[in-house]
Amino acid sequence: IGGWTELGNRYETARCCLLVGQALRALGDTESARDALRAAQGSFARLGAAPDERAAAACSHRTPRLG
């Protein structure tokens, strides 16, 4: 995530946060997943990327797959 942040690519940073959030949720770390997914959702909202914002919101409401 840091690499995209350093390059100033906000969209790719948000995508990485979404993927990290999904991975953390799958591993059962719901608190960290929630934080990452909220960060992704907020970034997508600020960018006007409504479909991605909705995807991040949907992910934050799913139950963990493992655990």
Side-chain angles (χ1 to χ4, degrees), residues 25-49:
R25 181 164 297 281
L27 292 170
D29 186 348
T30 56
E31 185 175 327
S32 297
R34 184 187 66 236
D35 293 342
L37 292 168
R38 284 183 181 168
Q41 187 178 357
S43 294
F44 288 136
R46 286 187 295 279
L47 291 167

Side-chain angles (χ1 to χ4, degrees), residues 11 18 44 48-58:
Y11 180 77
L18 175 61
F44 288 136
D52 295 306
E53 179 186 359
R54 287 190 297 272

